[in-house]
């Protein structure tokens, strides 16, 4: 039996992403997240700039952290707001967690 590989786009076997991904609505609410995001939330023992739970408001967490001087949080806020206001089509920011 041949084992499916993650880099094979024709594979019928699912594989998990190492990327931490969440779907967030235009108001900042986390609608859904993948397993890697949920594990990060567990690792930090609650909401952090790295992850907030489904149903929580990611932008609210970022705003609190930006007030304390977190430059990544400020970048997240600015980037997400620029997409919502259609100034940009997409936003990507990599930050340490």
């Amino acid at each position: 039996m041949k084992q499916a590989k993650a880099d094979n786009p024709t594979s019928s076997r699912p594989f998990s992403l190492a990327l931490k991904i969440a779907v967030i609505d235009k108001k900042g609410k986390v609608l859904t997240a993948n397993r890697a995001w949920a594990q990060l939330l567990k690792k930090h023992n609650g909401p952090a700039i790295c992850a907030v739970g489904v149903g929580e408001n990611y932008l609210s967490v970022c705003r609190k952290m930006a007030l304390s001087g977190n430059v990544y949080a400020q970048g997240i806020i600015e980037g997400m707001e620029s997409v919502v206001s259609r100034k940009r089509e997409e936003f990507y920011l990599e930050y340490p967690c």
Side-chain angles (χ1 to χ4, degrees), residues 26-45:
K26 64 182 178 181
K27 293 183 181 179
K29 181 180 176 182
V30 178
L31 302 176
T32 189
N34 70 351
R35 182 177 291 150
W37 181 277
Q39 288 172 339
L40 191 58
L41 178 62
K42 205 182 252 188
K43 176 184 169 187
H44 285 278
N45 213 12

Side-chain angles (χ1 to χ4, degrees), residues 18-64:
L19 294 173
K20 290 117 181 112
I21 299 172
V23 177
I24 301 169
D25 72 11
K26 64 182 178 181
K27 293 183 181 179
K29 181 180 176 182
V30 178
L31 302 176
T32 189
N34 70 351
R35 182 177 291 150
W37 181 277
Q39 288 172 339
L40 191 58
L41 178 62
K42 205 182 252 188
K43 176 184 169 187
H44 285 278
N45 213 12
I49 191 172
C50 302
V52 300
V54 172
E56 295 182 71
N57 192 295
Y58 188 62
L59 283 175
S60 293
V61 171
C62 288
R63 284 186 182 103
K64 287 178 188 175

